[in-house]
Amino acid sequence: MKSKSPLMLIALSLLCGLMVAEAATDYISCDDPCNGGDVNYDLVSTVETVKLMNYTYRGRFYKSGTDDNRGIDGFPESRFMGPTMRVKPGQSLWIKLSNEMDSSDIGPTPPTAADYWVRLQKPGEAIKYRYYQLPVDDPSRMLVDTPNIPGHFDSTNLHVHGLDVEVHMFDPVGTHNPDAPHIKIDPGECYCYKFNVPEHHPEGQYWYHPHLHGSSAVQLWGGMFGLLYVDGGTLESELEGYGITTTKDFVIWDPAFQNVDKDTHNIEVDEFLEGQTTLSKIHPFLVNGKMNPTFETATGQVLHLRVLCATIENENTFIVYEEGREEEFWDDAGLDFWVIGVDGVMFRKPSRKHIAVLAGGQRNEILLQFDKPGNYVIRQHGIDGMQFFDMRGHPHNQTLATIRVTDDESAPKPTIPIDEMIFTPGYDESESIQAHEIVKSENIVFSMGADRNKAPFPQYFVNGKAFSPDRLDFLAHPGEAREYVLINGNHNVHPFHIHVNRFQVIEMGSELSTETYPVLKSVMNFEPGLWRDTVVVPPNGRARIWVKYGNYTGKTLFHCHFLAHEDTGMMSTLFIGEPDFTFSRWKVANIDTVIMMCVGATVLVVGILFAVLFSRNSAPKDYSSVSTMNDVKAKVLD
Ligand SMILES: [Cu+2]
């Protein structure tokens, strides 16, 4: 993927003292094929009109070459998602992304600094947060953080969420250039993504979506995402072996609409960060593109739901109630279900629950079984006080879907009780990260700012800094394991997602009372050592995670998966391995190798920077005396 001529270009820019270097890219002519993989997909981003609920909706979508593979299992009329991709471990996956978007007729218009100032003039109208009620200063004093102002809504790129493959946010895929720019595919342009899925990749549910800083929230709100299964057949055959033959996708999405025309039923995608909390607009949870769709099963039969939470700025619960009891507390009335895997990694043993909480990016593989015929509902319920948008009381508690259970005796029944089933496609216990492998513990602090003289407003930070594409924030090396303490000082949640590298959750906690916020109990209820790629950092709380960096190196990212937060700054660069070019090392912070690599005046600058950053890191604990996950958990809690 790299060639010599761009390297020469970079050498030239080095000589000229330029800080931005060009690199080899995978941009292609849109006439060229991109089909050299074992599995190949054509993905086209476009603006089109579709039917959604009873509405005619014009938004940004992926389309594919044929209509046949649009939509998702059981809901072919819900054409809001791109094609469902399937790849086997060990295969190469090539995706040609063609950008045909032209949204000139639908907006939204990228906000300007002046827009933020205008909104601040009417805090009671447009700004719902109670601490933004002060009068506003002169707009000429507004400081503009340009990289974190949302924009270029018709440009795009692609993230395969959760896959352990080449880093692919910066150009080209797999780049080790610390100055590499974002892959940015403008209208009329095409890019050929080439991924290699490892032989030992966990089999499960993943997904893909755009991830261009500044336009990712608008594009997901519009409808640009799709499912991606890593499927070697093991899970399917194990489920079949247990007599479980009905599997359905269950995709939760929280589109933001405006301008509902009562006659034509026309709706448009909401303007980004512009009145998005106004109750007159539609802000529902849809499942598979529908309001409260119905799934069918029979008494005794097991229904396997593959749940993706593709929400942009909300978390939601998954609670199963008998119809009519859905307003009751889940601890009393919620029915049992089984989680058999999360974030693409199957559990060995099913975990029985009566509530699950999902935030944007997370997946749950769920088994449902009912004793009695009748109607049951799956419910988003009880995140009051912690939901990002609940300053105006919504999204409301809502029924996500209905399950109609018939008395069909011919329906297949499981061969053994669900509690006794074993699934093998996940990780073996022996693959868990060991305490002695941790080389360093670092803090990652999510915070928000309400500086009324700054655009964007509000501000979103990681470790006190908004995202900068020109800075490397964290560094790690392949083969080493690191501990990150994710700290959330806000009253709402921030779901943390790290690209390419999944992690194990070691500890969670919050200063909030689980009596006041009972849903927190389930947010923080996790199996020690749980593998995830996205974790909810509890409000006023923390999550401690362990990551072991593997084969895939280069410049990548981690961020809050509430994409509106990410677009406005809550993201950091992460460099795995050695940057290609020493001239950029002055930008690298937070690493031990910096001092050795820098000379002259750079040594002084970096030395000061390092000293400041190092002093913020908590000392790693001594884990040498522990062996099991429970020991570890006790240790981190003490
Ligand atoms: Cu966030």
Side-chain angles (χ1 to χ4, degrees), residues 460 492-495 560-562 565 570:
Y460 291 90
N492 54 279
V493 307
H494 296 289
C560 172
H561 214 291
F562 282 168
H565 302 190
M570 204 171 256

Side-chain angles (χ1 to χ4, degrees), residues 125-181:
E125 271 304 305
I127 307 297
K128 312 304 179 194
Y129 314 139
R130 55 185 169 276
Y131 51 96
Y132 300 152
Q133 303 285 337
L134 297 168
V136 179
D137 285 328
D138 178 356
S140 65
R141 291 183 53 206
M142 202 121 194
L143 299 168
V144 183
D145 180 15
T146 306
N148 293 302
I149 301 273
H152 48 77
F153 297 148
D154 281 352
S155 296
T156 193
N157 64 17
L158 187 72
H159 175 40
V160 284
H161 181 121
L163 254 62
D164 187 14
V165 294
E166 290 83 354
V167 298
H168 51 279
M169 281 295 99
F170 298 94
D171 185 32
V173 167
T175 184
H176 283 65
N177 174 7
D179 292 316

Side-chain angles (χ1 to χ4, degrees), residues 499-520:
H499 284 215
V500 175
N501 299 273
R502 65 182 65 78
F503 49 80
Q504 287 186 280
V505 182
I506 305 300
E507 183 219 349
M508 280 211 217
S510 169
E511 287 163 16
L512 298 181
S513 154
T514 53
E515 279 179 28
T516 313
Y517 302 100
V519 76
L520 260 183

Side-chain angles (χ1 to χ4, degrees), residues 448-506:
M448 289 169 60
D451 185 336
R452 293 172 302 110
N453 292 310
K454 263 191 194 164
F457 181 92
Q459 300 90 35
Y460 291 90
F461 303 122
V462 176
N463 285 1
K465 289 179 287 196
F467 175 70
S468 168
D470 299 325
R471 191 181 64 221
L472 293 188
D473 296 304
F474 289 82
L475 195 126
H477 296 94
E480 73 182 17
R482 292 203 173 210
E483 175 179 270
Y484 297 108
V485 183
L486 315 171
I487 298 165
N488 175 10
N490 297 130
H491 194 75
N492 54 279
V493 307
H494 296 289
F496 169 89
H497 172 53
I498 187 165
H499 284 215
V500 175
N501 299 273
R502 65 182 65 78
F503 49 80
Q504 287 186 280
V505 182
I506 305 300

Side-chain angles (χ1 to χ4, degrees), residues 77 80 219 255 277 287 321 392 443 496 550 611:
E77 71 275 32
F80 75 104
Q219 292 178 3
T277 58
V287 170
Y321 288 105
R392 287 286 307 264
N443 290 347
F496 169 89

